[in-house]
Amino acid sequence: MSKWEENVRKVVPYVPGEQPRQEGMIKLNTNENPYPPSARAAKVLQAFEEDTLRLYPDPTAAELVNAIADTYQVNPEQVFVGVGSDDVLAMAFMTFFNSGKPILFPDITYSFYDVWAEEFRIPYERIALDEEFQIVPEQYFAENHPNGGIVFPNPNAPTGVELPLDAIESILQHNPDVAVIVDEAYVDFGAVSALPLLEKYENLLVVQTTSKSRSLAGMRIGYAIGNEKMIRYLNDVKYSFNSYTMNQITIAVGAAVFRDREYFQETVAKVVETREWAKEEFTRLGFSFGDSKANFIFVTHKAIPAKEIFQALREQHIYVRYFDKPRIDNYLRITVGTREQMQVLFDFLESYLNQER
């Protein structure tokens, strides 16, 4: 190793889902929405004046912040925006997890949490989910497990399992001295948001994204909602890092999409309807899974190993997500596509499983 490399910060990076670009493929591996964004997004892009790109964007992203605040009936001072929820969560880690005590998150969860913790030199502990892949709230109570903060997705990823609101509140009640971050990337597909708890708990931060339910994964818009003090702290860190994190087009498109409530509800309803039908089909084919409240289902088959199914699907250009990790290496996370895409998936699975039996 060269001498200069001794001072390099070395981390094991997060590995995102595969992004194939094959014609005719069915892409069910990265939890994108199968439907296009609101038509208002196209109108903004068509009307955008390119000459304005020579100017810096609004560092406060006020147009977008105000649209989000209107959507959730909160003050604009309670909203923080970033380049995808990953950016928001990274800023939150830097801002709130500095006590020197370990932060807590589940052992089966979004695999970026330990990456950020390693990168920012934050000690952490993974708390095991129970046998049903459920979070056990008592294991997060400060009196049982002293900590420097808590973060978890709800619904959890990759399991899709929801933690009830009263369980989230119990975690907050038993951790008044640290920040508790609830990562709600998938909440719009049937789970109950923790947002109503903001009035009671000033240490709660709720993080959401436009990548899933609002079909803007390619635009990179994430946001957090909390009390005004938390948001001020987040903005202080953000402006110390990069004042202009969001470009003009993203701000304008994001604001327009948030104002189209009717289309948002329509597409979410279609995904949920397809998911519930898909659960019946998976059951019929011998798969088991938790009661997903997300736009994906985390399945395992009673007879055929997940890795074999994953490889067979891939050969047909049907992409799903396989995690070669302890406890979940016999599961597949399958994004809910359109009804037509899912039918192709089930037609192949039925044929394949019949051959394997």
Side-chain angles (χ1 to χ4, degrees):
M1 180 184 293
S2 301
K3 191 70 175 176
W4 63 267
E5 291 181 83
E6 295 176 5
N7 298 315
V8 172
R9 176 166 290 190
K10 301 176 183 68
V11 295
V12 179
Y14 170 76
V15 180
E18 186 178 6
Q19 294 289 351
R21 293 288 187 269
Q22 296 171 336
E23 186 176 350
M25 69 177 179
I26 295 179
K27 189 170 181 292
L28 306 175
N29 66 328
T30 50
N31 297 341
E32 295 143 323
N33 198 309
Y35 303 105
S38 163
R40 297 189 188 187
K43 290 181 180 179
V44 169
L45 293 172
Q46 291 163 3
F48 193 83
E49 297 181 10
E50 64 273 13
D51 181 61
T52 63
L53 292 177
R54 63 187 176 80
L55 304 173
Y56 282 111
D58 173 11
T60 70
E63 182 184 7
L64 175 59
V65 166
N66 289 334
I68 295 171
D70 288 344
T71 298
Y72 294 99
Q73 296 298 291
V74 297
N75 296 325
E77 293 77 16
Q78 291 181 262
V79 178
F80 174 87
V81 294
V83 186
S85 61
D86 288 341
D87 180 44
V88 174
L89 286 161
M91 292 291 170
F93 271 52
M94 284 194 287
T95 304
F96 301 116
F97 295 157
N98 296 291
S99 72
K101 297 179 181 178
I103 63 170
L104 309 180
F105 49 81
D107 65 331
I108 301 171
T109 195
Y110 186 33
S111 54
F112 226 139
Y113 295 158
D114 58 346
V115 174
W116 288 316
E118 294 281 355
E119 185 169 5
F120 303 140
R121 304 296 192 262
I122 301 167
Y124 62 94
E125 292 183 28
R126 299 184 181 96
I127 307 299
L129 301 179
D130 68 15
E131 293 303 311
E132 300 298 321
F133 291 157
Q134 298 274 358
I135 288 174
V136 180
E138 292 77 13
Q139 295 184 0
Y140 292 81
F141 291 179
E143 61 268 30
N144 299 331
H145 213 135
N147 65 81
I150 293 168
V151 58
F152 57 87
N154 196 44
N156 196 11
T159 65
V161 176
E162 177 188 16
L163 186 65
L165 193 61
D166 59 350
I168 295 174
E169 182 163 19
S170 71
I171 292 173
L172 285 159
Q173 289 171 338
H174 289 268
N175 288 280
D177 300 327
V178 298
V180 176
I181 301 174
V182 183
D183 180 0
E184 295 188 343
Y186 305 100
V187 74
D188 292 325
F189 298 102
V192 176
S193 175
L195 286 171
L197 298 176
L198 288 173
E199 294 182 3
K200 295 175 64 176
Y201 302 96
E202 70 171 12
N203 60 325
L204 169 64
L205 188 73
V206 177
V207 177
Q208 295 192 11
T209 180
T210 63
S211 295
K212 318 300 181 185
S213 57
R214 287 183 168 83
S215 304
L216 287 179
M219 206 104 236
R220 313 308 300 128
I221 301 173
Y223 53 100
I225 302 175
N227 73 69
E228 295 179 10
K229 186 189 299 183
M230 291 192 91
I231 301 306
R232 282 200 304 272
Y233 285 137
L234 270 172
N235 276 317
D236 286 346
V237 171
K238 172 184 175 179
Y239 296 145
S240 300
F241 186 77
N242 184 352
S243 297
Y244 301 105
T245 58
M246 190 163 286
N247 65 65
Q248 293 183 24
I249 296 174
T250 299
I251 293 169
V253 169
V257 167
F258 269 102
R259 294 189 181 106
D260 194 348
R261 183 73 179 174
E262 183 177 351
Y263 183 77
F264 160 74
Q265 293 173 332
E266 176 187 329
T267 52
V268 166
K270 286 197 289 188
V271 171
V272 170
E273 181 182 14
T274 303
R275 181 191 68 204
E276 296 308 301
W277 165 73
K279 289 177 182 177
E280 296 175 0
E281 292 296 292
F282 279 124
T283 299
R284 181 178 64 83
L285 294 173
F287 289 89
S288 58
F289 45 87
D291 186 19
S292 174
K293 294 296 180 66
N295 67 333
F296 58 84
I297 306 174
F298 197 54
V299 303
T300 184
H301 194 266
K302 61 184 179 181
I304 311 301
K307 192 170 186 178
E308 292 183 17
I309 299 173
F310 167 76
Q311 291 170 338
L313 287 168
R314 201 172 189 278
E315 290 173 4
Q316 300 297 313
H317 307 302
I318 301 173
Y319 293 88
V320 300
R321 193 77 188 267
Y322 172 70
F323 299 91
D324 191 7
K325 295 182 177 182
R327 298 187 68 191
I328 59 172
D329 59 355
N330 200 31
Y331 285 80
L332 298 173
R333 192 196 68 191
I334 301 178
T335 304
V336 177
T338 64
R339 179 79 174 227
E340 293 75 19
Q341 290 173 327
M342 300 303 285
Q343 188 63 64
V344 173
L345 169 73
F346 291 127
D347 287 346
F348 172 76
L349 285 175
E350 185 159 24
S351 173
Y352 172 77
L353 293 172
N354 285 335
Q355 291 175 4
E356 295 298 311
R357 285 172 183 150

